[in-house]
Amino acid sequence: MMRSITKSVLGILLTAFLCLGASAGWALHDYFKSLDTNNDGKVDLQEFSGEMKKYIFDELDADKNNEVTESEWGSVPDITEEKEHESVFKKMDRNTDSRITFFEFSDYAESNSNIQKAFMGLDMDKNNLLSPDEVSSRPTFRMITVHF
């Protein structure tokens, strides 16, 4: 009898820390501006979620050709069972072309991540918008998790 395989969790550390944007040497202000895609001085959930999903997808896309191949997917840490790798890849690859596009990944991450919870944790005044102060209020926030 086969035992069920529990889904692993892939945690991708954000090297662009919300407190500093450390990997690119950005100041907090510049990092906030990169999240604020409509330049209204606030970051809503859609802006935050889009940026986080884009960052994670870019980390998975090793050759930077805007798709994740089975080979690139095979190097994802924390999923050790080959069958599990294949199963999750197939769930994301909705059009079965053996590649995961950003849109396929984004749809999957929408319902299988803690991005919304992370946003709500940063939104100290609970107005569904992040201000520059709220982004800097959690300097230890470093991880978005997508459940695979």
Side-chain angles (χ1 to χ4, degrees):
M1 185 168 106
M2 292 183 59
R3 63 182 174 89
S4 69
I5 300 172
T6 60
K7 294 182 180 181
S8 296
V9 174
L10 170 66
I12 298 186
L13 289 176
L14 300 175
T15 55
F17 294 113
L18 293 177
C19 61
L20 296 174
S23 69
W26 294 342
L28 171 63
H29 177 74
D30 291 335
Y31 185 69
F32 181 84
K33 283 176 36 179
S34 76
L35 290 172
D36 182 16
T37 57
N38 68 1
N39 298 314
D40 67 355
K42 302 171 228 106
V43 174
D44 63 24
L45 177 59
Q46 184 177 0
E47 290 170 310
F48 182 79
S49 178
E51 183 63 28
M52 296 302 105
K53 288 185 283 189
K54 182 181 178 320
Y55 179 82
I56 295 168
F57 181 82
D58 288 347
E59 288 295 306
L60 294 171
D61 181 17
D63 63 6
K64 306 304 179 208
N65 67 345
N66 297 316
E67 59 190 25
V68 177
T69 63
E70 290 181 85
S71 174
E72 289 168 316
W73 180 251
S75 65
V76 172
D78 297 332
I79 301 178
T80 57
E81 297 283 335
E82 186 175 335
K83 288 180 182 179
E84 193 172 8
H85 263 286
E86 292 171 14
S87 172
V88 173
F89 188 89
K90 286 178 182 179
K91 285 179 189 174
M92 282 191 272
D93 183 22
R94 290 187 324 226
N95 65 357
T96 64
D97 65 353
S98 298
R99 296 178 301 228
I100 300 169
T101 64
F102 174 73
F103 298 106
E104 289 171 317
F105 174 79
S106 181
D107 286 348
Y108 182 88
E110 192 69 35
S111 59
N112 293 283
S113 74
N114 71 339
I115 293 173
Q116 184 171 4
K117 184 177 179 181
F119 178 87
M120 291 170 28
L122 291 170
D123 184 16
M124 303 304 278
D125 61 7
K126 305 302 179 205
N127 68 347
N128 297 316
L129 298 167
L130 299 180
S131 67
D133 290 340
E134 288 171 319
V135 171
S136 66
S137 70
R138 291 282 180 97
T140 59
F141 177 78
R142 298 180 193 178
M143 190 177 293
I144 296 292
T145 306
V146 177
H147 304 272
F148 293 120

